[in-house]
Amino acid sequence: MESNQNFLQSLGASLGRLAQRLWAGIDAYIKADTRRAAIIGGIIVLLVLSFIIRAPQPHVSLKAEPILAGGPSWFTNSLLTTFVVDIILLLVAFLATRNMKLVPSGLQNVMEAIIEYLYGLAESVAGRAAATYFPWAATIFLFVLVSNYTGLIPGVGSIGYYHNEAAVEHAVNADSQLAMAGGKLILAKPIAAEEATAEHAEFVPFFRAPSADLNVTFALAIATMVMVQVHGVRALGGKYFKKFWNTSGHGFMKGINIFVGILELVSELSRILSFAFRLFGNIFAGEVVLATMAFLITFLVPIPFYLLEVLVGAVQALVFAMLSLVFFSMATISHEHSEEHH
Amino acid sequence: MGAIANQLGITGGLLISQIVNFILLLAILRVTLYGPVLKMLATRRERIAQSMKDTERVSAAAREAEQEKAKLLEAARREAQEIRAQATRDTEKIAQDIRARAEQEATDIRMKAQADAKTQVETALSDANKQIADLAISATEKLLGRELGNKDEQQRLVEEFLTQHANGGSAR
């Protein structure tokens, strides 16, 4: 009994000494470099806070959702954001060219740099035809870039409201939705109408990055691939379609040529898909990653992912513009001609 | 296909509206942004090329001027040297002239003085001779107590004698 007490006493004393020594060490550390200590302390505090202040479960929806409950189904949040992007671009165009000076400054300088870079890109890909292809590629780049970056603005995707009445409509609309459950992405079962009305009010954000909506990416992809055909016909006339239906050659070669034509057709169609899904996938996935990271650890951890998304947004815009330039100039190269070279 | 599209949220209306939106944006940006900016870029490129050409021309002109200056300087220096040499030569010549003239003058003056002296001496001598002759005659007359006849003849004789004597004296 007594020995037990002694043991506890000595244990308490040694623990006290240990705490004292630890505190002395911390004190010395703070005094050695106050700034570094403050930064590290701030990081620890933020990480601890991350487990106290939790971000809400991320709202993940594959589709763009109608904003107004009971309103028109076509008025989606991505459509609204598309208008915002349009307005931003038009405003930039207006402000950059309002008072042009030979010695540029400010926005004029920025836009000149971007446009000169894009024009240089068009020239490097298309050579003399650059002037024809440039507006398309530049518009793609600017629109996609701003679209991608709207998704990174705080509030886009997180400010919205809960639909109650719309839930019924939603349940019908959304057969199955991607949803977050316990930090895991699952394909959620369709929400039963009565359940939805009762408790699971549907959260609908006001804004959604246009490039995270397949309508937008498909629209850009289809328009671009149609434009590819237009440029092809413009450059080669009716001969352009020989690419898809080539009956030259004899016997076996004829069969091969027809098969190659079918392959060309398929590759043209697959380009639409790859265009649309590449952009959508990158941006949508980026938003999901950001939301998920914020949900798991509220502070600090999302920052590197955010920086990554800034990079991805620019790269995807450039890739879309670059590929459209490449396809434009590829379509204008005569197929027969290139075969002679082989 | 339709089911997939529905699940992905693709609807024909939205798709078409987005295509229209993009083409409208393209048309507007082409007029309001690309046109002016590309024009401005072209203008600036031209201006820079022009100013670079100008700079080149100006520097070429400056180089030429520099060469011209050097040439002029060289010519001026040579000329100055020539002038200096000429001046030195001229000065020497003038000095020589002056010296020669001075010498000449000095000589002239000396000669004239000599000549004057000589004439004066001669005049004095002849005057003296004449007086001596007169004295000699008058002395002779006094000695004889009468006037000598043929006075002129006698005077001539005395003078001749004196002259001969003087000549003989000087010869001695």
Side-chain angles (χ1 to χ4, degrees):
Chain A
M1 188 73 179
E2 217 163 282
S3 67
N4 241 357
Q5 219 163 3
N6 276 348
F7 172 72
L8 278 176
Q9 262 173 2
S10 67
L11 188 72
S14 64
L15 273 178
R17 270 203 302 277
L18 198 69
Q20 226 164 21
R21 208 177 294 165
L22 195 68
W23 177 244
I26 290 170
D27 200 44
Y29 187 79
I30 290 171
K31 273 179 184 145
D33 189 343
T34 318
R35 212 163 121 182
R36 182 185 57 188
I39 290 170
I40 288 173
I43 287 172
I44 290 168
V45 166
L46 278 178
L47 285 180
V48 170
L49 274 180
S50 292
F51 291 98
I52 299 164
I53 304 168
R54 302 303 301 261
Q57 278 212 352
H59 165 80
V60 176
S61 163
L62 204 57
K63 309 182 192 183
E65 297 129 309
I67 297 169
L68 301 170
S73 66
W74 53 264
F75 191 57
T76 58
N77 42 19
S78 84
L79 191 71
L80 179 67
T81 317
T82 304
F83 290 143
V84 172
V85 170
D86 287 350
I87 289 166
I88 289 172
L89 283 176
L90 295 180
L91 210 65
V92 163
F94 171 71
L95 291 176
T97 59
R98 181 181 45 168
N99 184 16
M100 288 193 98
K101 279 179 236 120
L102 209 59
V103 180
S105 61
L107 195 61
Q108 186 196 339
N109 208 353
V110 172
M111 291 318 287
E112 275 185 9
I114 291 174
I115 285 174
E116 191 166 30
Y117 171 70
L118 288 174
Y119 198 86
L121 198 71
E123 261 180 342
S124 72
V125 171
R128 218 180 301 159
T132 332
Y133 305 154
F134 164 74
W136 192 276
T139 312
I140 292 253
F141 177 80
L142 292 175
F143 181 75
V144 173
L145 185 75
V146 178
S147 295
N148 294 348
Y149 283 170
T150 52
L152 299 180
I153 299 170
V156 172
S158 55
I159 295 177
Y161 70 104
Y162 287 92
H163 279 198
N164 251 336
E165 303 101 313
V168 185
E169 198 181 282
H170 258 278
V172 181
N173 253 352
D175 289 332
S176 61
Q177 282 204 343
L178 281 171
M180 295 296 300
K184 269 189 258 170
L185 197 66
I186 56 155
L187 206 61
K189 287 261 153 48
I191 305 157
E194 46 291 332
E195 200 183 311
T197 40
E199 216 183 345
H200 288 271
E202 196 72 28
F203 174 77
V204 175
F206 288 138
F207 298 104
R208 178 191 177 99
S211 34
D213 178 5
L214 275 169
N215 283 309
V216 177
T217 61
F218 262 105
L220 294 180
I222 290 168
T224 301
M225 287 320 287
V226 168
M227 221 38 213
V228 168
Q229 316 309 315
V230 169
H231 281 308
V233 171
R234 252 200 205 161
L236 304 174
K239 262 199 304 190
Y240 173 73
F241 294 108
K242 265 199 176 163
K243 186 163 99 173
F244 304 120
W245 185 245
N246 190 351
T247 52
S248 64
H250 296 287
F252 184 60
M253 278 309 291
K254 187 170 174 169
I256 283 190
N257 280 337
I258 290 174
F259 183 65
V260 167
I262 293 168
L263 280 187
E264 286 276 355
L265 199 65
V266 169
S267 92
E268 216 75 352
L269 289 173
S270 72
R271 277 172 191 170
I272 296 180
L273 291 177
S274 70
F275 256 146
F277 281 111
R278 183 187 307 112
L279 182 57
F280 170 77
N282 271 289
I283 302 311
F284 181 69
E287 286 181 2
V288 171
V289 164
L290 283 182
T292 310
M293 283 299 151
F295 172 65
L296 294 178
I297 298 163
T298 318
F299 299 112
L300 290 175
V301 175
I303 290 174
F305 292 95
Y306 192 91
L307 294 177
L308 185 72
E309 285 315 307
V310 170
L311 188 69
V312 167
V315 166
Q316 285 308 314
L318 194 62
V319 163
F320 207 123
M322 184 82 182
L323 280 178
S324 59
L325 279 173
V326 169
F327 291 155
F328 285 164
S329 65
M330 265 167 65
T332 56
I333 297 166
S334 169
H335 215 246
E336 289 169 4
H337 199 67
S338 67
E339 246 168 27
E340 278 167 25
H341 275 293
H342 285 197
Chain B
M1 192 78 170
I4 295 172
N6 188 35
Q7 281 205 358
L8 295 176
I10 301 171
T11 54
L14 278 173
L15 203 62
I16 289 165
S17 73
Q18 289 288 356
I19 292 175
V20 170
N21 173 65
F22 178 75
I23 287 167
L24 273 177
L25 190 68
L26 170 71
I28 295 173
L29 284 184
R30 197 173 181 161
V31 175
T32 60
L33 186 63
Y34 310 145
V37 169
L38 286 176
K39 210 172 92 189
M40 177 54 73
L41 289 175
T43 314
R44 187 172 308 127
R45 195 174 300 130
E46 230 164 72
R47 277 285 281 272
I48 290 171
Q50 183 64 44
S51 65
M52 271 169 88
K53 222 188 286 168
D54 285 355
T55 313
E56 211 150 287
R57 213 169 45 214
V58 166
S59 72
R63 221 166 21 238
E64 222 164 84
E66 191 76 22
Q67 280 173 357
E68 190 79 6
K69 195 175 98 184
K71 221 187 288 172
L72 278 174
L73 268 176
E74 185 57 38
R77 198 171 298 133
R78 208 176 303 131
E79 207 169 312
Q81 212 158 16
E82 230 160 76
I83 288 169
R84 208 161 53 215
Q86 184 69 41
T88 315
R89 269 202 303 277
D90 283 0
T91 317
E92 236 160 67
K93 207 169 133 207
I94 289 166
Q96 224 162 22
D97 277 4
I98 289 169
R99 220 178 295 136
R101 210 178 305 143
E103 244 162 61
Q104 182 72 41
E105 254 167 51
T107 315
D108 283 356
I109 289 166
R110 208 167 54 222
M111 299 266 273
K112 210 173 153 214
Q114 269 177 358
D116 282 357
K118 208 173 175 187
T119 39
Q120 268 175 4
V121 167
E122 265 167 22
T123 323
L125 266 178
S126 72
D127 278 357
N129 280 352
K130 211 172 166 193
Q131 278 173 2
I132 291 167
D134 285 347
L135 280 173
I137 288 167
S138 53
T140 317
E141 276 172 350
K142 264 199 193 131
L143 272 174
L144 294 176
R146 61 170 177 117
E147 206 168 321
L148 286 170
N150 200 5
K151 218 175 182 176
D152 287 342
E153 180 68 13
Q154 287 214 356
Q155 195 153 8
R156 196 185 49 83
L157 274 174
V158 172
E159 266 174 31
E160 211 170 277
F161 166 77
L162 276 175
T163 323
Q164 269 175 4
H165 191 80
N167 280 355
S170 66
R172 214 181 315 138

